[in-house]
Amino acid sequence: QVAAAQTTAPRAAELPPWGRGDERPCGGVLVGRMAVTPEYVNMLAAPTETFLCPMSANIYNIDFTAFKIRALDETQEFTLFEVRKDPSEEPPPNDDMDDSVRTIRYHFGPSFLEWPTIGTMLEFANGEYPLHNFRMIERHYYRNILIKSYDFSMPFVIPNTVNTWEVIYTMPEMDPAVKEGIISCPWETRSDSFYFVNEQLVMHNKADYNYSDA
């Protein structure tokens, strides 16, 4: 199901304890003395060296269960990548797990860069609390060059539901020298995906990309 929009502010009973103004676990999410906000991550000029929140920040029990990437044009579409979580797998990661569970690698090949439009489908489940202003910010870099940035939001997600989030990406025009570097230097293109609920960072995932033939 796709969550319906809701414009009213959440009631205290709909929020986890630290969403009601109580003390936050781990002291909140800070980088140095700066809170990790959507505005902060939208200013980042390079991939982060570390994850900006612990896995325990996901107090809403958001669990990504399926993901598909499609290449689109006016007449056809091709599935480039598809994965579905085994129902018997562990629940969402916790701080006892290695950070590698938050990083994925994609090998697409150079033809991926020729598609003008890419579509993704993310299926996710959530726990007992509703998600207000669920927001995803995704920033892609080649080395320390920002090549594209996306910002999507879902106003409201009903508790204890499985939801589908469809996103269409228009691929940016790319400098030919940067494009050549992306193809010739596998795994040096990276992305950070930040997930916020009511402006609070709850998840941070990373990806590495290989656009070479090899």
Side-chain angles (χ1 to χ4, degrees):
Q1 102 188 44
V2 176
Q6 175 163 315
T7 57
T8 56
R11 296 185 296 273
E14 296 179 333
L15 298 175
W18 57 264
R20 299 195 290 265
D22 301 340
E23 182 180 356
R24 296 183 177 184
C26 307
V29 181
L30 300 171
V31 174
R33 299 182 63 84
M34 181 177 291
V36 180
T37 63
E39 293 73 25
Y40 173 83
V41 301
N42 272 323
M43 294 189 301
L44 294 172
T48 63
E49 295 183 3
T50 61
F51 290 94
L52 300 190
C53 67
M55 284 182 265
S56 57
N58 180 17
I59 48 83
Y60 295 90
N61 291 323
I62 300 165
D63 188 16
F64 297 145
T65 53
F67 184 58
K68 180 166 71 172
I69 303 175
R70 299 167 294 143
L72 310 172
D73 65 19
E74 294 181 356
T75 61
Q76 57 189 336
E77 67 175 60
F78 296 95
T79 297
L80 304 174
F81 177 84
E82 186 169 11
V83 64
R84 177 169 291 277
K85 184 176 180 179
D86 188 323
S88 64
E89 283 186 36
E90 294 293 320
N94 58 62
D95 290 340
D96 294 330
M97 296 182 179
D98 189 271
D99 273 336
S100 62
V101 302
R102 297 198 271 178
T103 301
I104 190 169
R105 291 191 136 199
Y106 298 106
H107 186 184
F108 290 131
S111 61
F112 183 96
L113 301 174
E114 304 303 321
W115 290 98
T117 307
I118 297 295
T120 64
M121 185 283 295
L122 175 65
E123 181 185 280
F124 67 94
N126 65 311
E128 63 180 304
Y129 300 109
L131 307 182
H132 292 268
N133 304 318
F134 186 32
R135 183 173 176 182
M136 176 182 70
I137 297 175
E138 190 173 287
R139 293 174 70 78
H140 293 251
Y141 306 88
Y142 166 60
R143 295 180 173 171
N144 289 339
I145 301 171
L146 178 67
I147 53 177
K148 51 192 172 184
S149 183
Y150 302 100
D151 193 336
F152 305 102
S153 62
M154 186 178 284
F156 181 73
V157 181
I158 300 167
N160 295 310
T161 54
V162 176
N163 304 270
T164 300
W165 198 346
E166 296 267 3
V167 171
I168 301 297
Y169 299 80
T170 300
M171 304 301 283
E173 290 291 330
M174 202 175 298
D175 181 280
V178 172
K179 185 175 180 180
E180 177 58 32
I182 288 172
I183 294 171
S184 61
C185 301
W187 310 119
E188 293 194 37
T189 303
R190 300 181 174 90
S191 68
D192 285 299
S193 296
F194 305 96
Y195 299 87
F196 294 85
V197 176
N198 255 5
E199 307 294 297
Q200 175 71 33
L201 182 64
V202 296
M203 300 177 75
H204 178 192
N205 295 331
K206 288 178 168 287
D208 302 326
Y209 303 86
N210 182 346
Y211 295 102
S212 72
D213 283 318

